[in-house]
């Protein structure tokens, strides 16, 4: 129906994307409850299991307990320095040095994206995070075939 296009319908119509991410898990580090709910639903629409953490300590604990994480989506924190500290905390643990970390933040935070990358992040995605912004990032890091979707719409 009109007015109900949340982008979630696309996930149901693209089993190839879901199958690609099935069996993977992503850690979402987000304090804002509303963002946490919407970003979790968006990530789950791609097929992986999504675990959440509210802060750096909880994130590290979850990574240690669960192991074999495919990606961390880290919401910007109180300050750019706090965000960089969290990235460095993950990177300083040799078990997680190669773990992809993507920072999600506001347009104002985008100006700090180079700083996040210098701290060890693998990229930045602007909030509000939506399917069009997130799918290419997931495809690049996790190897999903975005080309399939583009061919269908061409």
């Amino acid at each position: 129906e009109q007015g109900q296009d949340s982008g979630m319908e696309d996930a149901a119509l693209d089993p190839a994307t879901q199958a690609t991410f099935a069996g993977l898990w992503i850690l979402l580090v987000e304090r804002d409850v509303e963002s946490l709910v919407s970003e979790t639903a968006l990530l789950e629409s791609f097929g992986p299991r999504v675990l959440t953490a509210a802060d750096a300590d909880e994130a590290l604990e979850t990574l240690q307990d669960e192991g074999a994480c495919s990606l961390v989506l880290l919401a910007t924190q109180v300050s750019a320095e706090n965000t960089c500290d969290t990235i460095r905390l993950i990177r300083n643990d040799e078990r997680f040095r190669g773990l992809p970390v993507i920072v999600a933040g506001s347009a104002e935070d985008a100006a700090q994206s180079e700083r996040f990358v210098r701290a060890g992040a693998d990229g930045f995605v602007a909030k509000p995070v939506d399917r069009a912004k997130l799918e290419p990032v997931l495809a690049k890091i996790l190897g999903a075939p975005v080309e399939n979707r583009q061919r269908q719409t061409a």
Side-chain angles (χ1 to χ4, degrees), residues 11 15 44 49 58 60 67-69 74 129:
E44 286 175 341
R49 183 169 62 114
E58 196 177 326
L60 275 178
C69 182
L74 172 66
V129 179

Side-chain angles (χ1 to χ4, degrees), residues 59-119:
L60 275 178
E61 185 179 321
T62 302
L63 288 169
Q64 291 165 359
D65 290 349
E66 295 293 324
C69 182
S70 301
L71 170 74
V72 173
L73 183 60
L74 172 66
T76 52
Q77 300 177 351
V78 178
S79 69
E81 192 54 42
N82 285 12
T83 304
C84 290
D85 287 345
T86 299
I87 296 165
R88 285 194 279 282
L89 195 61
I90 292 169
R91 290 287 177 243
N92 286 340
D93 188 318
E94 64 184 47
R95 294 170 294 179
F96 310 126
R97 283 209 180 112
L99 177 61
V101 176
I102 300 298
V103 176
S106 68
E108 295 82 29
D109 295 322
Q112 300 290 327
S113 63
E114 298 259 337
R115 189 172 173 191
F116 302 144
V117 170
R118 281 195 308 273

